[in-house]
């Protein structure tokens, strides 16, 4: 996910300071990794440097003084271009789970046991996400975000089942290669 463009998207709704942008990010993308304040402020500095955002002024709002940022016309144009780009499907299909299966085979470990343990971890995460999305007061963004993660976890589980059924053949190929 592009932090740059997410922050621009949040700024397009109106001027904000870093603290508010972080809070709004974490609310709008509830299942995403929360942004660190340092990441927010570093990104804001880059946005200003690149002239896609600018400092509007400062605001104390009864607390410490905070710099308020706003999106520029150049920023709006960049955001529109980014939002219209089709996200390419992942160009490579190797992932950590597959790598660990192969390494388990190479090192004489038990790839089947690893897959079973990984399956259990995926199932636990799926239960957690299901509880989040069906919890009292879950908003649509939370439900959609959880659904996205659940679908990816489900795809991983299906892959693990297929790989488990082919583990003998995979082991023969890895050992021969």
């Amino acid at each position: 996910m592009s932090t740059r463009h997410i922050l621009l998207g949040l700024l397009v709704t109106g001027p904000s300071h870093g603290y508010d942008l972080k809070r709004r990010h974490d609310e709008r993308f509830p299942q995403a990794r929360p942004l660190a304040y340092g990441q927010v402020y570093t990104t804001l500095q880059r946005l200003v440097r690149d002239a896609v955002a600018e400092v509007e002024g400062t605001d104390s709002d009864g607390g410490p003084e905070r710099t308020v940022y706003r999106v520029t016309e150049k920023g709006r144009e960049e955001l529109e271009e980014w939002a219209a780009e089709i996200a390419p499907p992942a160009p490579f299909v190797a992932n950590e789970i597959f790598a660990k299966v192969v390494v388990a085979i190479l090192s004489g470990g038990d790839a089947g046991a690893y897959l079973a343990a990984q399956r259990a971890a995926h199932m636990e995460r799926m239960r957690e996400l299901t509880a989040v999305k069906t919890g009292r007061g879950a908003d649509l963004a939370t439900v959609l975000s959880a659904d996205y993660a659940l679908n990816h976890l489900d795809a991983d589980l299906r892959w693990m089942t297929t790989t488990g059924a082919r583990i003998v053949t995979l082991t023969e190929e890895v050992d021969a290669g």
Side-chain angles (χ1 to χ4, degrees), residues 80-121:
E80 286 177 20
E81 289 174 18
W82 176 79
E85 290 174 2
I86 301 302
F92 305 104
V93 295
N95 65 43
E96 186 174 355
I97 298 169
F98 177 67
K100 288 184 177 186
V101 167
V102 171
V103 168
I105 293 168
L106 289 170
S107 65
D110 188 344
Y114 169 74
L115 284 171
Q118 187 64 57
R119 172 181 277 290

Side-chain angles (χ1 to χ4, degrees), residues 127-138:
R127 283 189 287 277
E128 292 168 0
L129 288 166
T130 300
V132 165
K133 79 177 231 171
T134 59
R136 176 176 233 135

Side-chain angles (χ1 to χ4, degrees), residues 57-175:
T58 57
D59 176 14
S60 66
D61 199 24
E65 191 170 273
R66 296 183 177 142
T67 303
V68 177
Y69 299 86
R70 70 179 182 89
V71 70
T72 63
E73 189 56 38
K74 181 179 176 184
R76 286 178 188 278
E77 291 169 7
E78 179 180 316
L79 186 62
E80 286 177 20
E81 289 174 18
W82 176 79
E85 290 174 2
I86 301 302
F92 305 104
V93 295
N95 65 43
E96 186 174 355
I97 298 169
F98 177 67
K100 288 184 177 186
V101 167
V102 171
V103 168
I105 293 168
L106 289 170
S107 65
D110 188 344
Y114 169 74
L115 284 171
Q118 187 64 57
R119 172 181 277 290
H122 270 55
M123 295 298 293
E124 176 60 28
R125 182 63 179 141
M126 291 177 86
R127 283 189 287 277
E128 292 168 0
L129 288 166
T130 300
V132 165
K133 79 177 231 171
T134 59
R136 176 176 233 135
D139 61 4
L140 185 56
T142 298
V143 171
L144 292 174
S145 182
D147 281 343
Y148 184 85
L150 284 164
N151 280 301
H152 280 267
L153 291 167
D154 183 59
D156 284 350
L157 287 173
R158 285 183 277 130
W159 178 86
M160 285 182 234
T161 299
T162 301
T163 301
R166 297 174 175 167
I167 202 76
V168 171
T169 305
L170 178 61
T171 301
E172 291 169 355
E173 287 182 10
V174 169
D175 288 344

Side-chain angles (χ1 to χ4, degrees), residues 6 21-29 33 35:
I6 296 301
L21 290 168
K22 186 231 181 308
R23 182 187 55 75
R24 288 173 41 216
H25 168 275
D26 295 350
E27 288 173 357
R28 297 257 185 234
F29 305 99
R33 180 180 315 221
L35 288 180

